[in-house]
């Protein structure tokens, strides 16, 4: 379901928005969050929103008049809206969208430039028609390989110099993405945010790289590659194929 067909679920306000000073935005949002105490997730019974440190990172690093994208939804969605970003949020849960909209109205958070795609990100991201992005938050599905799929499609839309923020990096399915990006010369690690979030800046045009040009993959594959070569050599010697063994030895 596209953002154009969401009138029954979420209706952006059409009045002229009023935004707080950016250096006060995080404090204002967190105060309104504590006051209204919304539960965005699990049919309104729980809240899995990002940490306070992440909210403050967004307030500091999302540029003015930014084009932004988020997989997953919660308090971060309201933060993007309060910062005046042209924000697209992807979530398969229409109930989350309603509850976020209700909170934004109750907390006087402008939503004129907030759009939702109610679908799973693996469906929504490939068809997304979006201007070049300044900032991406990856906090949708956490089962493998969803964080990597979200990053792959979002990275193609992210501007050089743009930032991708990856949440829940304590999970293995997310941590492998962080570990890989730390060794990729197309990304600069900006550091850890709080206990479970990492930020990266895109410093080169995004392009596919074969495994031999990815230091993380090479390092993680080294032991298995050596083991495979030794077993192959043993098989050649065991079967008496000395010619092939010699050819491979000279090539090694």
């Amino acid at each position: 379901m596209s953002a154009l067909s969401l009138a029954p679920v979420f209706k952006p306000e059409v009045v002229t928005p009023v935004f707080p000073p950016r250096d006060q935005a995080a404090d204002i949002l967190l105060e309104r969050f504590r006051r209204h105490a919304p539960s965005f997730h699990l049919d309104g019974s729980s809240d899995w929103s990002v940490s306070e440190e992440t909210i403050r990172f967004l307030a500091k690093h999302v540029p003015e008049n930014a084009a932004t994208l988020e997989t997953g939804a919660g308090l971060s969605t309201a933060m993007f809206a309060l910062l005046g970003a042209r924000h697209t949020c992807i979530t398969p849960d229409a109930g989350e969208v309603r509850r976020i909209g209700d909170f934004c109205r109750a907390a006087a958070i402008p939503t004129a430039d907030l759009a939702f795609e109610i679908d799973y990100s693996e469906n929504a991201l490939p068809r997304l028609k979006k201007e070049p992005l300044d900032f991406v938050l990856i906090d949708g599905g956490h089962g493998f390989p969803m964080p990597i799929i979200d990053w792959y499609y979002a990275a193609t839309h992210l501007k050089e110099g743009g930032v991708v923020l990856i949440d829940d990096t304590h999970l293995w399915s997310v941590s492998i993405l962080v570990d890989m990006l730390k060794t990729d010369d197309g990304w600069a690690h900006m550091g850890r945010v709080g206990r479970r979030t990492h930020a990266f800046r895109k410093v080169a045009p995004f392009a596919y790289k074969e495994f031999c040009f990815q230091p993380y993959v090479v390092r993680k594959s080294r032991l298995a590659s050596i083991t495979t070569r030794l077993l192959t050599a043993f098989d050649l010697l065991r079967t008496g194929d000395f010619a092939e063994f010699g050819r491979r030895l000279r090539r090694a």
Side-chain angles (χ1 to χ4, degrees):
M1 183 183 296
S2 72
L4 297 177
S5 59
L6 293 183
V9 177
F10 173 77
K11 186 176 182 179
E13 63 179 0
V14 294
V15 299
T16 302
V18 177
F19 301 105
R22 294 180 69 85
D23 60 352
Q24 300 176 25
D27 288 333
I28 289 171
L29 179 68
L30 291 167
E31 187 279 326
R32 293 176 187 177
F33 181 69
R34 287 189 286 267
R35 187 198 322 162
H36 294 278
S39 295
F40 297 125
H41 307 106
L42 282 185
D43 295 324
S45 65
S46 186
D47 186 71
W48 298 335
S49 290
V50 296
S51 66
E52 177 177 330
E53 293 92 343
T54 298
I55 292 297
R56 296 190 182 281
F57 184 92
L58 293 175
K60 182 177 180 180
H61 291 280
V62 173
E64 291 190 21
N65 196 34
T68 58
L69 174 71
E70 171 184 25
T71 59
L75 186 61
S76 51
T77 314
M79 185 75 258
F80 282 110
L82 189 59
L83 292 171
R86 300 185 304 282
H87 186 59
T88 299
C89 174
I90 300 174
T91 174
D93 191 333
E96 290 179 359
V97 175
R98 291 190 184 93
R99 289 185 288 274
I100 291 168
D102 290 344
F103 168 69
C104 287
R105 282 188 291 273
I109 295 172
T111 58
D113 289 320
L114 181 58
F116 289 91
E117 290 279 343
I118 301 183
D119 203 345
Y120 292 98
S121 58
E122 67 267 31
N123 299 326
L125 285 170
R127 68 169 183 257
L128 188 66
K129 304 297 182 184
K130 184 73 176 175
E131 61 186 307
L133 298 167
D134 298 287
F135 199 105
V136 172
L137 171 59
I138 296 176
D139 191 23
H142 295 91
F144 184 86
M146 293 314 305
I148 296 171
I149 290 175
D150 288 354
W151 165 80
Y152 175 81
Y153 282 108
T156 63
H157 291 281
L158 189 65
K159 294 177 181 176
E160 191 171 336
V163 174
V164 60
L165 190 63
I166 305 170
D167 197 41
D168 292 317
T169 58
H170 60 292
L171 300 173
W172 176 86
S173 54
V174 188
S175 69
I176 58 172
L177 173 60
V178 170
D179 291 343
M180 190 277 292
L181 291 180
K182 284 180 178 179
T183 67
D184 192 306
D185 58 9
W187 299 87
H189 187 218
M190 299 172 66
R192 190 174 73 176
V193 180
R195 294 186 179 275
R196 55 183 174 87
T197 307
H198 283 258
F200 292 87
R201 189 176 300 280
K202 184 179 179 180
V203 295
F206 179 76
Y208 169 76
K209 297 177 183 177
E210 190 50 79
F211 79 93
C212 53
F213 300 111
Q214 295 178 320
Y216 177 73
V217 177
V218 171
R219 186 175 72 247
K220 286 294 186 179
S221 303
R222 186 172 292 124
L223 179 59
S225 297
I226 293 172
T227 302
T228 298
R229 290 181 180 182
L230 289 174
L231 290 173
T232 300
F234 175 77
D235 288 340
L236 292 172
L237 292 173
R238 181 175 56 83
T239 58
D241 194 347
F242 301 112
E244 179 63 16
F245 176 82
R247 187 182 69 81
R248 294 192 178 213
L249 186 63
R250 289 191 296 273
R251 195 175 60 184

